[in-house]
Amino acid sequence: AGAGARCLGMDALLADRGHLVMVTDLDGEAARATASTIGRGALHAAVDVRDEAQVGAARDALLQEVDRIEVWVNNAGVLRDKTFAKMTLEDFRFVVDVHLMGAVNCTKAVWDTMREQNYGRILMTASSTGLFGNFGQANYSAAKLGLVALSKSIALDMGRFGVRSNCIAPFAWSRMTSSIPVTDEASVGRPRPPTSSLIARCRSSAYMTPPSSWVSVVMDLIFLFLRLFVLTSQALFVTVVTSVVE
């Protein structure tokens, strides 16, 4: 759930390993574009993760193509940044509903399938902001730390059924954070999310880029493979904090 660029990288790796991938996003065109970039029959659907019916419909559509759902990634997100004094309760609830309740809705939708097949991997995308806080992001940080606790509890609940729940807490720029205003020269040069060209480099392991870019590629690779690791790890719970380096 969530068709951001970092989701693209992980989905591409899963597709390379033979998984049929479905990309969902509130923006149906973004989901289609990501699925098209992944290729290999990747599916796509416009889904509002706050809507249980839409999430259920996406699950049912996927089960019409395959008889198992082995991995579900909760990556959907949104920002409504303001200082707490200026933040409305509506903006606070909206962010929590997308990040936290969206993950609850999606995980609940695939729970019965994973329990019956005695196998499943759930991955929550939290944030370093959830662990350390950030100015003007009380709603976002509360939702992201909630995902950490949710993942821990789901891991304990579902472990006896062969289902693992893991959580990562990256610091990264993405399509979602592109809404943050660029106010200084440092912001202009901030790291950008990986593109399809980066994914091609990930697949080919051909690092023919300048040193500064090479460092960014390495960090993106670490990020992608850590996400892949927690999907296959036998550990009940793993929290990974990673950074994007310019």
Side-chain angles (χ1 to χ4, degrees):
R6 295 189 182 278
C7 183
L8 163 64
M10 187 197 56
D11 287 346
L13 288 173
L14 289 173
D16 281 347
R17 294 190 171 209
H19 291 271
L20 175 64
V21 172
M22 169 179 272
V23 181
T24 68
D25 196 276
L26 180 62
D27 182 346
E29 179 57 28
R32 185 206 62 76
T34 299
S36 177
T37 301
I38 294 169
R40 291 175 295 286
L43 308 174
H44 61 90
V47 175
D48 184 342
V49 294
R50 299 172 298 166
D51 189 319
E52 296 176 52
Q54 290 187 33
V55 172
R59 174 207 57 207
D60 293 342
L62 181 57
L63 286 173
Q64 289 180 359
E65 302 294 331
V66 295
D67 57 3
R68 292 167 60 89
I69 298 178
E70 296 188 343
V71 176
W72 189 276
V73 180
N74 291 308
N75 193 57
V78 68
L79 292 178
R80 292 291 186 273
D81 292 353
K82 288 183 180 177
T83 61
F84 190 70
K86 296 180 179 179
M87 185 180 296
T88 66
L89 290 178
E90 181 181 359
D91 280 344
F92 198 102
R93 290 192 186 97
F94 179 65
V95 171
V96 171
D97 282 346
V98 172
H99 289 271
L100 184 55
M101 289 309 300
V104 171
N105 291 337
C106 291
T107 305
K108 194 72 172 176
V110 299
W111 160 236
D112 285 338
T113 299
M114 290 185 171
R115 181 179 61 180
E116 290 170 3
Q117 67 196 23
N118 201 41
Y119 182 91
R121 297 292 183 265
I122 304 293
L123 180 61
M124 310 283 186
T125 303
S127 170
S128 58
T129 299
L131 303 180
F132 308 116
N134 196 25
F135 180 83
Q137 291 191 313
N139 47 8
Y140 180 75
S141 59
K144 287 304 192 181
L145 188 57
L147 285 174
V148 175
L150 175 65
S151 183
K152 286 184 175 181
S153 297
I154 288 176
L156 295 173
D157 287 351
M158 301 170 72
R160 59 198 171 115
F161 298 106
V163 179
R164 309 293 186 234
S165 178
N166 291 276
C167 184
I168 58 170
F171 170 76
W173 291 96
S174 65
R175 180 165 61 93
M176 180 184 69
T177 57
S178 64
S179 64
I180 299 175
V182 175
T183 57
D184 51 43
E185 292 184 5
S187 297
V188 173
R190 68 195 183 194
R192 293 293 190 264
T195 61
S196 57
S197 61
L198 169 64
I199 303 308
R201 292 200 297 272
C202 292
R203 288 178 179 147
S204 65
S205 299
Y207 303 116
M208 303 301 293
T209 55
S212 60
S213 299
W214 183 85
V215 172
S216 295
V217 171
V218 169
M219 292 306 298
D220 277 313
L221 277 172
I222 292 173
F223 181 84
L224 294 173
F225 281 106
L226 281 174
R227 296 186 78 166
L228 193 61
F229 164 76
V230 296
L231 294 178
T232 58
S233 172
Q234 294 304 305
L236 281 178
F237 177 79
V238 178
T239 297
V240 179
V241 180
T242 186
S243 297
V244 173
V245 178
E246 290 191 65

